[in-house]
Amino acid sequence: QVQLVESGGGLVQPGGSLRLSCAAPESTFSINDMGWYRQAPGKQRELVAVITSGGSANYADSVKGRFTISRDNPKKTVYLQMNSLKPEDTAVYYCNAVLRLYYRGSYSAYWGQGTQVTVSS
């Protein structure tokens, strides 16, 4: 089963920072959009940020000015820099990528396993 590999979650105090990373598999031929979603307990999964292959980014209103999404295309990796974290940012964060594998002829969406981010004093 093809899956993106995430890292970087953890426990941080309010006002602190964390950086999440997400790598696509080596068998990836090409990647379109990459993004981050989050799901808090009892809530639906929501989009946090998305970045196109050309580097254009969009953010949820709740994270604008605090979070920054970026990508390293040669490394097939997307990042989420999270600053000024708030307790309401606590959630499981999932990365998502629309990509094409070498052995498949079309693009599909793939997900990471999720990483817990907890903001608490």
Side-chain angles (χ1 to χ4, degrees):
Q1 182 178 355
V2 176
Q3 196 170 51
L4 310 177
V5 179
E6 301 180 28
S7 61
L11 172 65
V12 64
Q13 292 186 341
S17 298
L18 280 176
R19 189 192 194 208
L20 306 182
S21 300
C22 172
E26 287 298 318
S27 56
T28 298
F29 175 74
S30 178
I31 308 175
N32 284 343
D33 292 356
M34 305 183 83
W36 290 94
Y37 291 73
R38 66 186 181 187
Q39 187 167 19
K43 295 187 177 181
Q44 289 189 331
R45 190 173 297 189
E46 63 175 0
L47 176 66
V48 175
V50 62
I51 186 168
T52 68
S53 58
S56 296
N58 282 290
Y59 299 90
D61 288 343
S62 59
V63 306
K64 282 181 181 177
R66 300 187 297 121
F67 291 11
T68 302
I69 189 171
S70 61
R71 61 192 283 173
D72 185 328
N73 289 329
K75 292 184 178 180
K76 303 175 184 177
T77 300
V78 63
Y79 305 96
L80 186 67
Q81 178 67 43
M82 304 184 292
N83 299 328
S84 303
L85 282 161
K86 304 175 181 180
E88 50 263 44
D89 295 317
T90 296
V92 178
Y93 284 70
Y94 298 90
C95 68
N96 172 275
V98 178
L99 58 85
R100 177 187 166 193
L101 301 169
Y102 279 105
Y103 52 88
R104 292 182 181 170
S106 61
Y107 287 85
S108 297
Y110 296 90
W111 291 90
Q113 79 278 11
T115 186
Q116 177 69 46
V117 171
T118 303
V119 184
S120 176
S121 55

